[in-house]
Amino acid sequence: MRSKKFLKAEQASLPWDVPGLLAGVDEAGRGPLAGPVVAAAVILDERYPIKGLADSKQLTALRRERLYDEIRAKALCCSVAHASVEEIDQLNILQATLLAMQRAVLGLRLKPAKVLVDGNRLPSLEVLCEAIVSGDALVPSISAASILAKVTRDRMLCELHLQHPQYGFDRHKGYGTVQHLRALQAHGALAVHRRSFAPVARALAVPVSDESSAP
């Protein structure tokens, strides 16, 4: 049963706006088979507009990296948080995503008057929230959050690639590509793989002799 706090946040979409700071929130990594889900919250500074903000998935990696630096330099404040693989397996990916979003908002140096979240579900927060479908393409602060979350998570997976190059994390970033599924079949699952996701569960059910399958 959901808490009253969650219901309050979910019903907080109102037809009028409130004065004060607006924070945009988005996540990266709901679909992959490995790695944490990462969320970011951003409060932009109207005095320093950032050109080219868009849904991070529509931008090249180089463009995302450049915008990442610009957002960090120009935003009033921003925060990046994540939910671990263990939390994903324990809570399920939706609840872990909402948890990461909650942590990102709570990590902001400034308290927003309203939080705009990409999608149709809201984290539990003691502040007015509004869910906006396709918000990462419509709302600049959500676009900025999308970019911070995506770049942060991609960097994490590239670091993971250095430890386990046989899985190709630098290419697929943990998503269930043909290359990744073949690596799972050949080497087994790592500690960073999400046990609650079906392809990983199947890989765990098949014994492998390759020592690289050890966490």
Side-chain angles (χ1 to χ4, degrees):
M1 181 176 180
R2 289 181 293 181
S3 69
K4 292 182 179 178
K5 286 175 64 179
F6 184 87
L7 289 173
K8 179 181 178 182
E10 192 173 33
Q11 295 169 357
S13 178
L14 300 175
W16 63 86
D17 221 333
V18 293
L21 299 175
L22 296 178
V25 177
D26 201 4
E27 54 75 27
R30 284 186 64 171
L33 307 179
V37 59
V38 176
V42 178
I43 299 177
L44 294 175
D45 190 336
E46 294 180 355
R47 299 170 300 174
Y48 304 103
I50 300 172
K51 295 182 179 180
L53 290 176
D55 175 4
S56 63
K57 297 183 292 296
Q58 304 302 317
L59 301 170
T60 66
L62 178 60
R63 184 62 180 150
R64 284 196 299 265
E65 288 283 348
R66 290 176 175 173
L67 284 169
Y68 176 96
D69 292 337
E70 190 173 358
I71 294 164
R72 285 288 193 181
K74 292 183 176 181
L76 279 176
C77 63
C78 50
S79 170
V80 179
H82 74 275
S84 68
V85 171
E86 292 77 16
E87 289 170 323
I88 292 170
D89 288 337
Q90 180 182 4
L91 300 173
N92 75 47
I93 185 57
L94 172 59
Q95 295 304 320
T97 299
L98 296 175
L99 177 61
M101 288 179 169
Q102 180 190 62
R103 288 170 174 168
V105 174
L106 294 177
L108 288 169
R109 178 177 56 85
L110 302 173
K111 184 176 180 178
K114 185 176 183 180
V115 174
L116 307 176
V117 182
D118 181 60
N120 58 7
R121 301 296 293 271
L122 294 170
S124 177
L125 292 166
E126 294 294 338
V127 64
L128 184 65
C129 297
E130 180 178 354
I132 302 177
V133 176
S134 299
D136 50 4
L138 301 172
V139 181
S141 60
I142 298 180
S143 299
S146 171
I147 292 165
L148 292 193
K150 173 67 173 169
V151 171
T152 298
R153 190 179 187 283
D154 283 358
R155 290 177 178 178
M156 295 169 96
L157 271 291
C158 286
E159 290 179 6
L160 188 60
H161 172 73
L162 298 178
Q163 303 172 41
H164 306 283
Q166 67 272 32
Y167 287 84
F169 289 118
D170 61 328
R171 295 185 179 182
H172 53 66
K173 304 301 187 296
Y175 284 89
T177 64
V178 172
Q179 177 193 13
H180 193 182
L181 293 176
R182 286 175 177 170
L184 273 172
Q185 293 174 356
H187 308 298
L190 298 166
V192 295
H193 280 103
R194 301 173 182 179
R195 266 65 177 161
S196 56
F197 281 44
V200 179
R202 286 194 294 268
L204 287 168
V206 179
V208 294
S209 59
D210 193 326
E211 292 182 357
S212 63
S213 63

